[in-house]
């Protein structure tokens, strides 16, 4: 770098030449400074994208890859003791009152010390072993009798309903295949292998697929009734997730309550799928969802998932140092705990009490104050003159959502049975994602639709405490148990 010349030694002509040379550089410095600001903002946005994970955004855990974020709970340290909480029933293996088999272990006839004959023995201790019997398939042969009357008329007995072929698999075998493959996400190949290992029953992969198709056909009417049951409910949860079908992206749509689960698969994600499947268009209760715009266009009341808000606020606090985000997280978490404490049975908060309503007003006032602070720290980006709305930051977008849909954010405190989160729908999506991980994709759209039917039925029966395997057995016998829609 050259040293600055002594200006006193320069002539007027030399100074004028130096000014003419440096003057254009002033504009270049301003231009470079502006470019540097733009580049710094871009770098900050890119670094923010790299910091996004399943703990601070709506990204699924599968997108975290090998770099899993450290688990971090929003619970306050020391708030609850470790281990099972008070009132939790717990479960452990205990002795049966009537064992199936008793094995007696006798003492010797003579005393090992004095060799005298021992008196009658008594039971000093009992121990029980819970195990499975030898699993082996059994073959039932049906004989259709025939008799010819003296008049020449032939009488032939009929086989039972469902016995249609010379050789076939029975309802329990078909239920086991469907239970493993569809409900527990075991691949078709491994399902066939397990049938051989468990029961010594040779089964081909085509047989597993045939049983799946038969099960879906049987359960389709029941699943349609489940969908209508969800539509008639006061509160329902909705979510959607990508599903690979026939090498193309399709969408799994979920509509669920605490006791009912309905799933459907469609090539489209938004309004066209809603029109085709119709259920969401019919729903008029409170729909809990993640704030996706097509849901907001539905003609019903809405409740936003606050767990999504907490994740986004975590990102703003930890990655962008937005202090207001921490205050909002603390407020929403406190409101959720307060609502739970005021529930007598976990579902019916005392909404009519003056104390409860007063607390709600105070929390809402604090909520508005925090939003005002956030809006002051994150002004809306001005229009650039280009077509469309100017792009806003993540903080501005979240602040706008929390401000524009305040009633939907707080509906969990103002209406009975509306929960704080959309976990009911998100939990419903998990097993289909596991199924897709195991199989890679669904090869055909009918195969994906069959899965949705069977999984909807199994998830519903599980929620209602039924034995899923026995329910499938009854279904293959022609009488599927019906869930409760009350």
């Amino acid at each position: 770098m050259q040293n600055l010349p002594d200006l006193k030694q320069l002539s007027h002509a030399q100074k004028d030449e130096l000014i003419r040379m440096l003057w254009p550089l002033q504009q270049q410095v301003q231009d470079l400074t502006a470019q540097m600001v733009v580049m710094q903002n871009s770098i900050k946005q890119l670094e923010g994208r790299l910091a996004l994970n399943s703990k601070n955004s709506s990204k699924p855990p599968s997108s975290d890859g090998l770099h899993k974020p450290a688990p971090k709970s929003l619970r306050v340290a020391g708030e609850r003791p470790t281990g099972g909480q008070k009132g939790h029933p717990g479960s452990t293996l205990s002795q049966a009152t009537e064992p199936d088999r008793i094995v007696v272990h006798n003492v010797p006839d003579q005393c090992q010390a004095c060799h005298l004959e021992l008196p009658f023995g008594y039971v000093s201790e009992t121990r029980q072993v819970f195990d499975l019997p030898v699993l082996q398939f059994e073959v039932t042969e049906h004989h259709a009798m025939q008799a010819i009357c003296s008049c020449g008329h032939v009488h032939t007995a009929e086989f039972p309903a469902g016995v249609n072929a010379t050789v076939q698999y029975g309802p329990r075998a078909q239920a086991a295949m469907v239970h493993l493959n569809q409900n527990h996400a075991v691949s078709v190949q491994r399902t066939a292998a397990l049938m051989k290992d468990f029961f010594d029953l040779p089964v081909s992969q085509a047989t597993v697929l045939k049983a799946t198709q038969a099960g879906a056909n049987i359960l389709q009417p029941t699943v349609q009734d489940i969908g209508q049951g969800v539509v008639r409910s006061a509160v329902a949860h909705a979510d959607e997730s990508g599903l690979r079908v026939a090498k193309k992206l399709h969408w799994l749509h979920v509509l669920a309550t605490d006791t009912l689960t309905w799933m459907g698969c469609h090539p489209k994600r938004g309004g066209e799928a809603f029109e085709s499947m119709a259920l969401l268009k019919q729903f008029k209760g409170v729909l809990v969802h993640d704030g996706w715009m097509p849901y907001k266009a539905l003609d019903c009341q809405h409740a936003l998932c606050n767990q999504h808000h907490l994740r986004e606020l975590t990102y703003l606090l930890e990655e962008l140092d937005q202090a207001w985000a921490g205050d909002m997280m603390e407020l929403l978490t406190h409101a959720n705990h307060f609502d739970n404490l005021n529930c007598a049975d976990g579902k019916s908060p005392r909404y009519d009490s003056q104390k409860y309503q007063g607390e709600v007003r105070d929390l809402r006032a604090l909520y508005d104050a925090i939003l005002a602070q956030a809006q002051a720290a994150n002004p809306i980006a001005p229009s650039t003159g280009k077509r469309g709305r100017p792009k806003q930051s993540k903080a501005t977008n979240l602040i706008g959502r929390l401000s524009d849909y305040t009633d939907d954010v707080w509906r969990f405190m103002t209406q009975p049975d509306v929960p704080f989160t959309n976990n009911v729908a998100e939990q419903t999506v998990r097993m289909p994602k596991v199924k897709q991980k195991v199989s890679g994709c669904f090869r055909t759209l009918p195969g994906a639709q069959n899965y949705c039917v069977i999984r909807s039925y199994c998830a519903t029966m599980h929620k209602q405490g039924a034995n899923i395997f026995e329910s499938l057995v009854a279904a293959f016998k022609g009488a599927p148990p019906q869930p409760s829609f009350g």
Side-chain angles (χ1 to χ4, degrees):
M1 181 176 178
Q2 296 181 356
N3 294 327
L4 184 69
D6 188 358
L7 298 180
K8 295 180 180 180
Q9 301 297 326
L10 298 179
S11 65
H12 289 290
Q14 290 174 323
K15 290 181 179 179
D16 292 342
E17 182 180 359
L18 181 61
I19 291 173
R20 282 192 294 271
M21 180 181 67
L22 295 179
W23 191 262
L25 297 180
Q26 174 182 294
Q27 184 62 41
Q28 292 184 20
V29 171
Q30 293 178 354
D31 293 341
L32 290 173
T33 301
Q35 292 179 16
M36 184 179 67
V37 172
V38 173
M39 293 176 63
Q40 286 177 338
N41 291 335
S42 299
I43 291 172
K44 192 172 184 180
Q45 290 181 3
L46 293 173
E47 289 177 342
R49 288 186 184 180
L50 291 174
L52 289 174
N53 54 53
S54 61
K55 301 297 182 183
N56 59 20
S57 71
S58 297
K59 296 181 67 176
S62 59
S63 65
D64 292 333
L66 298 177
H67 303 286
K68 303 292 183 184
K72 184 176 181 180
S73 176
L74 295 176
R75 295 176 180 173
V76 179
E79 185 179 26
R80 294 182 180 180
T82 58
Q85 301 301 307
K86 184 178 181 180
H88 180 67
S91 61
T92 186
L93 190 64
S94 57
Q95 289 195 343
T97 55
E98 297 184 4
D100 299 296
R101 188 163 62 103
I102 296 177
V103 179
V104 178
H105 302 279
N106 281 320
V107 295
D109 295 334
Q110 294 179 336
C111 175
Q112 295 180 352
C114 64
H115 303 291
L116 292 177
E117 185 175 352
L118 291 175
F120 180 79
Y122 57 89
V123 178
S124 64
E125 184 183 358
T126 62
R127 298 180 182 180
Q128 292 184 350
V129 177
F130 287 66
D131 203 353
L132 295 174
V134 177
L135 302 178
Q136 178 67 41
F137 71 90
E138 63 179 19
V139 178
T140 301
E141 183 173 284
H142 296 266
H143 291 182
M145 304 303 291
Q146 188 177 79
I148 303 176
C149 181
S150 58
C151 68
H153 186 77
V154 179
H155 296 263
T156 304
E158 294 184 357
F159 287 105
V163 181
N164 306 316
T166 304
V167 178
Q168 66 184 69
Y169 293 99
R172 300 188 74 83
Q174 294 181 83
M177 288 183 262
V178 171
H179 195 25
L180 288 170
N181 178 241
Q182 298 290 295
N183 192 47
H184 286 288
V186 181
S187 68
V188 175
Q189 181 182 10
R190 291 183 177 179
T191 297
L194 287 175
M195 293 296 291
K196 174 65 175 176
D197 293 341
F198 281 161
F199 314 111
D200 197 26
L201 183 62
V203 170
S204 68
Q205 297 182 39
T207 301
V208 178
L209 297 176
K210 184 178 179 181
T212 298
Q213 182 65 63
N217 293 340
I218 294 170
L219 297 174
Q220 180 65 47
T222 302
V223 172
Q224 290 178 350
D225 292 340
I226 290 174
Q228 291 302 316
V230 177
V231 167
R232 293 191 299 269
S233 63
V235 179
H237 299 252
D239 200 3
E240 81 292 330
S241 182
L243 207 64
R244 299 295 300 180
V245 181
K247 298 182 180 181
K248 294 182 179 179
L249 178 63
H250 286 60
W251 293 92
L252 173 75
H253 294 269
V254 168
L255 196 59
T257 68
D258 290 336
T259 58
L260 301 171
T261 295
W262 180 90
M263 300 181 190
C265 182
H266 196 274
K268 299 296 182 179
R269 184 184 184 186
E272 186 176 336
F274 296 170
E275 291 285 351
S276 175
M277 295 184 286
L279 290 180
L280 281 170
K281 292 287 186 178
Q282 301 172 19
F283 183 72
K284 300 302 179 184
V286 179
L287 187 67
V288 186
H289 54 82
D290 56 9
W292 189 43
M293 289 306 297
Y295 289 134
K296 296 177 182 177
L298 296 172
D299 185 19
C300 62
Q301 287 188 308
H302 301 271
L304 297 183
C305 174
N306 284 297
Q307 190 62 47
H308 279 75
H309 296 151
L310 291 178
R311 287 197 288 262
E312 293 180 70
L313 290 167
T314 299
Y315 172 79
L316 296 180
L317 176 64
E318 295 181 350
E319 302 299 332
L320 302 183
D321 296 326
Q322 301 257 350
W324 69 269
D327 297 335
M328 185 64 77
M329 290 172 62
E330 185 176 351
L331 172 64
L332 291 175
T333 304
H334 169 75
N336 183 34
H337 290 333
F338 177 79
D339 185 59
N340 291 335
L341 289 174
N342 281 270
C343 293
D345 57 2
K347 287 186 175 294
S348 303
R350 297 191 288 272
Y351 289 97
D352 297 331
S353 69
Q354 293 182 355
K355 179 181 178 181
Y356 185 88
Q357 293 297 334
E359 181 71 14
V360 172
R361 286 192 295 270
D362 292 343
L363 292 174
R364 287 286 292 266
L366 183 56
Y367 177 83
D368 293 337
I370 295 175
L371 278 183
Q373 177 188 355
Q375 289 168 344
N378 298 273
I380 298 176
S383 175
T384 59
K386 297 181 179 179
R387 186 177 180 180
R389 293 180 299 177
K391 185 177 180 181
Q392 305 293 335
S393 66
K394 285 185 176 294
T396 304
N397 288 332
L398 177 58
I399 294 167
R401 190 191 321 146
L402 295 176
S403 177
D404 295 342
Y405 301 98
T406 299
D407 290 340
D408 298 342
V409 173
W410 286 90
R411 202 171 299 280
F412 73 97
M413 291 199 76
T414 58
Q415 287 188 225
D417 299 335
V418 176
F420 183 75
T421 73
N422 193 31
N423 282 350
V424 171
E426 293 186 355
Q427 290 170 357
T428 303
V429 171
R430 289 175 186 170
M431 280 306 294
K433 302 302 286 187
V434 172
K435 172 70 173 175
Q436 182 172 254
K437 276 188 175 182
V438 170
S439 302
C441 70
F442 291 92
R443 294 186 179 181
T444 64
L445 181 58
Q449 292 170 338
N450 289 341
Y451 173 80
C452 290
V453 170
I454 295 173
R455 180 63 192 167
S456 296
Y457 179 79
C458 292
T460 297
M461 300 308 290
H462 173 72
K463 286 180 178 179
Q464 300 195 10
N467 185 306
I468 298 177
F469 175 68
E470 294 299 336
S471 298
L472 291 173
V473 172
F476 278 105
K477 289 181 178 179
Q482 299 300 300
S484 171
F485 300 104

